Amino acid sequence: MSHYLVIEPSSKIRQIARKELKGRWVQAITAFLIVYVLTNVTAMLLNHFFAVNRTIDTVFGPVEQNLGLVGDLFSFAVSGAFSYGVALYLLTLVRTGEANNSSIFEGFSRFGKVFIMSLIIAVKIILWSLLFVIPGIIAAIRYSMSYYIMADNPEYTPMQCIEESKRIMTGNKSKYFWLTLSFIGWYILASIASSYWANNRAALGQVIIYAILYTPIIAVNLYRTTSCAILYEMINSNIVVSYESVYGRNDYRQNTCDAASAEEQSAVARYTEHGSQSEDAVHITETSGAPEKKSKTKNDLSELDSFGAPIDEKDDL
């Protein structure tokens, strides 16, 4: 089965993400805050109360350093379940316009499967990182859609989700990279408040202050991950962006799937923007309830990816 090469600029993907979040920022940030408290904050508290220290000799004398083993182990153990829950939450939000915050806990209903998948992904990224930093980054991007795929296909095994993510990201890795990089300014701005406390968390009060000051970064995380969910939908042709000139001529239209159902073809265009030269419409395939995987026949892609390789060629990196 083929997949689409996303050619939309990062600014357009972010714009769609903002429109999806419009009127839902408070609800979505609340969901992300819950995840943050149950992962990062809990891990910091575990590191504080169950500190594993080692002494390091410096030019200023011996210094006690908290290794943070207990908190890090806890964070890794639950990261897969929450990553799955966040993927399910965002796909439901994007496809239906509504989402229940309780869906962020859905990963614990299949904890073993998502934990194994997160472990496999971590091992693969670490092994590729041993070669150099860049192969590790490429590997992380390659497997970035695994949780979305499992949310769409809960019957898939962890390896099937990983391989499917590898397949659909062929030709789209550079798009994911530049989309993620486009948030660097927001992260710098959001981290100003918490940067001072990053290395000053010895006391319990300082841990709490740091957790509060970290909140703006959570909002940026929501913005970024929603944009990544939009990218996933574009790759699977669930979101189609078309540009029509004022004369009615199609300057560019990303085709919908050939075998789309009548319901999908008549889906409401929820975004219409009017400009002096063009009208942009983003067509979203609506679904009801939890995200469902639809069987579609995509257009055959014979184009080359950004590295000059045929899109159907197996991605060995």
Side-chain angles (χ1 to χ4, degrees):
M1 185 182 295
S2 301
H3 61 279
Y4 284 113
L5 289 177
V6 178
I7 64 174
E8 298 300 315
S10 297
S11 59
K12 186 64 180 180
I13 299 174
R14 295 196 308 271
Q15 181 185 31
I16 299 172
R18 291 195 301 272
K19 289 187 175 182
E20 282 297 331
L21 291 168
K22 186 177 181 180
R24 307 182 185 95
W25 278 98
V26 174
Q27 178 193 0
I29 288 179
T30 300
F32 272 60
L33 273 172
I34 294 172
V35 174
Y36 171 66
V37 170
L38 295 178
T39 53
N40 296 60
V41 176
T42 303
M44 286 188 290
L45 292 175
L46 288 173
N47 287 335
H48 177 78
F49 290 110
F50 303 97
V52 179
N53 297 317
R54 69 172 179 179
T55 303
I56 301 177
D57 293 326
T58 67
V59 293
F60 303 103
V63 175
E64 291 288 330
Q65 182 185 42
N66 186 350
L67 298 180
L69 294 179
V70 178
D72 291 345
L73 289 174
F74 168 81
S75 181
F76 179 78
V78 301
S79 63
F82 278 118
S83 295
Y84 174 89
V86 168
L88 181 64
Y89 176 88
L90 291 176
L91 288 181
T92 305
L93 180 67
V94 169
R95 293 174 180 176
T96 69
E98 298 178 0
N100 192 325
N101 286 1
S102 62
S103 62
I104 62 177
F105 299 103
E106 287 295 320
F108 291 95
S109 63
R110 44 179 53 87
F111 181 83
K113 181 181 287 189
V114 293
F115 176 78
I116 291 173
M117 187 168 73
S118 64
L119 181 61
I120 294 174
I121 292 174
V123 171
K124 283 178 172 287
I125 293 175
I126 290 173
L127 291 178
W128 278 107
S129 299
L130 294 177
L131 298 179
F132 198 60
V133 176
I134 294 178
I137 295 175
I138 295 174
I141 296 173
R142 184 186 307 128
Y143 309 129
S144 60
M145 299 299 177
S146 299
Y147 294 101
Y148 295 103
I149 293 168
M150 182 170 284
D152 265 342
N153 306 273
E155 74 280 3
Y156 277 17
T157 65
M159 281 307 302
Q160 283 179 312
C161 295
I162 291 171
E163 288 300 316
E164 180 66 6
S165 177
K166 176 180 177 180
R167 185 187 70 81
I168 68 173
M169 290 305 288
T170 302
N172 286 307
K173 288 191 289 292
S174 60
K175 175 60 63 178
Y176 183 96
F177 173 79
W178 291 114
L179 174 63
T180 303
L181 192 64
S182 68
F183 289 91
I184 187 67
W186 284 108
Y187 275 111
I188 293 174
L189 183 64
S191 63
I192 292 176
S194 61
S195 59
Y196 171 77
W197 295 92
N199 296 316
N200 296 277
R201 291 177 284 168
L204 180 60
Q206 292 174 330
V207 171
I208 295 175
I209 292 175
Y210 176 79
I212 295 173
L213 294 178
Y214 194 83
T215 304
I217 300 179
I218 297 174
V220 180
N221 283 337
L222 170 61
Y223 187 14
R224 178 183 60 81
T225 50
T226 304
S227 299
C228 292
I230 297 297
L231 177 62
Y232 172 79
E233 291 290 82
M234 285 183 166
I235 292 173
N236 288 282
S237 74
N238 292 331
I239 293 180
V240 177
V241 179
S242 62
Y243 299 91
E244 298 179 1
S245 69
V246 292
Y247 303 106
R249 179 176 57 84
N250 291 338
D251 295 325
Y252 165 75
R253 182 181 295 277
Q254 184 175 350
N255 293 327
T256 57
C257 57
D258 298 333
S261 65
E263 180 183 357
E264 290 170 343
Q265 292 175 355
S266 62
V268 177
R270 289 202 274 130
Y271 301 107
T272 303
E273 301 163 1
H274 299 282
S276 58
Q277 297 297 327
S278 66
E279 179 180 287
D280 301 352
V282 180
H283 303 275
I284 298 182
T285 300
E286 299 288 350
T287 61
S288 58
E292 296 179 358
K293 181 68 175 179
K294 299 180 179 61
S295 177
K296 301 179 179 179
T297 303
K298 308 278 195 316
N299 295 329
D300 182 35
L301 297 174
S302 58
E303 302 154 67
L304 302 181
D305 64 16
S306 58
F307 298 99
I311 188 63
D312 294 328
E313 183 177 323
K314 184 176 181 181
D315 183 8
D316 293 326
L317 283 179

